[in-house]
Amino acid sequence: MARALSSKDILTCQDLSRQDIRLIFDTTRELKHAFYRGDMPRLLDRKTLGMIFEEPSTRTRVSFEVAMVQLGGHALYLRPGEIHLGVRETIADTARVLSRYVDAIMARLLKHETLEELARYSRVPVINGLTDWFHPVQALTDVYTMEEKFGDLKKIKVSFFGDATNVANSLLVLCSRLGMNFTFCGPKKYWPKERVMKMVEENISETGANINLTEDIDEAIKGANVVYTDLWWWVGQEHEAEERKRAFALYQVNSALMKKADKNAVFMHCLPAARGMEVTDDVIDGPWSIVWDQAENRLHVEKAILALLIGR
Ligand code: CP
């Protein structure tokens, strides 16, 4: 199974070909079914994953470590201040040294450029565990979860409400890469930036994906099969909280909005959620919500990615 993906690293979803994405989804399904049968193949026997975190995490931190253990490997949690990453040692030197010890690196970093530099000098695969621009493993999990719930991805409309977060950016890239129907709805000031839209446009020209950006909530919710939202502000944006609350208030996902979506619509959120802000309790805890299945699938998707990148 070693190096079955065409790319050494997964820094953005643009690094993956459509065949890679299909392989990840098919392998995820196999490993998830195997897990529920009580079968955990030792595909990562004696393999090690270095996990660098510059920011806090629940899902990424725990699911990657559990993924390694379930497949027979081991993960090292490397906290800020615990290793010399750009402090006392260049990022390139850290990458060179870690490459001599571990089989892969997963990193959650403040700046995407730091991740790119880490990957440039690493001999082993580097997986993005979230940066200021992208969260590709989350988007892969989300779209895998959509396929699990609906089957044919080309037959669903996905509508994202709120801010162009790293998750929204990654969903835009992945959905356009797969030729899907995706609407981003939020105040124009917070729309996705050129860096992301360049990737999206490149993908649209290849796949004919139906990608829309709009401020019109009625247009976005009409016929939506998947309603998705994310935090209105993240670490480092706290000083903008009041301004952002005002800007995004109309775009809150509440039961009134969900009732305007397709009758079989589901609600998704990458979590953590700020209840009462971007989503109300009755939606996240209600019948529309598949957020816990989505969170669980992080584990199975990560096992697939790790097995395909470094598995035996
Ligand atoms: N969705 C996600 O990445 O969650 P964590 O921040 O808890 O890792």
Side-chain angles (χ1 to χ4, degrees), residues 40-47 67-74:
M40 287 183 259
R42 295 185 70 80
L43 299 171
L44 302 177
D45 191 26
R46 282 171 287 161
K47 299 282 181 172
M68 286 301 294
V69 170
Q70 285 190 358
L71 297 185
H74 179 76

Side-chain angles (χ1 to χ4, degrees), residues 150-280:
F150 291 100
D152 191 345
L153 291 169
K154 293 227 168 116
K155 289 193 177 150
I156 59 170
K157 174 178 175 181
V158 182
S159 293
F160 184 103
F161 291 86
D163 187 18
T165 59
N166 39 26
V167 172
N169 289 343
S170 292
L171 283 168
L172 273 158
V173 173
L174 183 58
C175 291
S176 59
R177 205 149 181 74
L178 292 174
M180 292 173 65
N181 179 351
F182 183 97
T183 296
F184 175 90
C185 181
K188 210 165 196 166
K189 179 177 172 189
Y190 299 96
W191 279 12
K193 302 282 184 291
E194 195 188 340
R195 175 181 191 165
V196 176
M197 293 315 292
K198 268 177 80 174
M199 294 180 185
V200 171
E201 278 152 24
E202 194 182 307
N203 290 338
I204 292 173
S205 69
E206 285 172 22
T207 64
N210 184 4
I211 307 293
N212 302 294
L213 307 183
T214 181
E215 291 188 302
D216 187 333
I217 297 167
D218 289 331
E219 179 192 323
I221 198 66
K222 193 172 174 205
N225 303 101
V226 176
V227 178
Y228 200 123
T229 190
D230 191 2
L231 292 169
W232 288 343
W233 65 90
W234 181 245
V235 179
Q237 292 173 325
E238 294 86 351
H239 61 286
E240 296 176 26
E242 289 309 316
E243 184 189 338
R244 283 173 169 266
K245 268 191 228 174
R246 281 194 297 277
F248 292 116
L250 284 175
Y251 299 87
Q252 182 189 61
V253 178
N254 50 40
S255 55
L257 184 72
M258 288 304 300
K259 283 175 190 161
K260 292 184 186 168
D262 183 83
K263 66 177 176 11
N264 296 318
V266 298
F267 170 71
M268 297 183 77
H269 193 305
C270 52
L271 305 175
R275 290 165 176 261
M277 291 291 159
E278 75 274 6
V279 62
T280 51

Side-chain angles (χ1 to χ4, degrees), residues 3-67:
R3 289 286 164 86
L5 297 181
S6 62
S7 172
K8 167 183 156 274
D9 307 308
I10 304 179
L11 307 190
T12 78
C13 291
Q14 206 69 347
D15 291 332
L16 299 166
S17 67
R18 274 178 288 287
Q19 289 79 4
D20 290 333
I21 298 162
R22 175 50 41 215
L23 191 55
I24 291 170
F25 288 178
D26 290 346
T27 309
T28 299
R29 192 173 311 104
E30 279 169 33
L31 289 173
K32 186 173 178 180
H33 288 170
F35 175 77
Y36 276 100
R37 289 195 308 270
D39 178 15
M40 287 183 259
R42 295 185 70 80
L43 299 171
L44 302 177
D45 191 26
R46 282 171 287 161
K47 299 282 181 172
T48 50
L49 176 71
M51 307 195 300
I52 303 172
F53 282 90
E54 285 188 330
E55 285 188 331
S57 161
T58 300
R59 279 142 291 270
T60 307
R61 160 77 178 86
V62 177
S63 58
F64 265 102
E65 181 163 341
V66 173

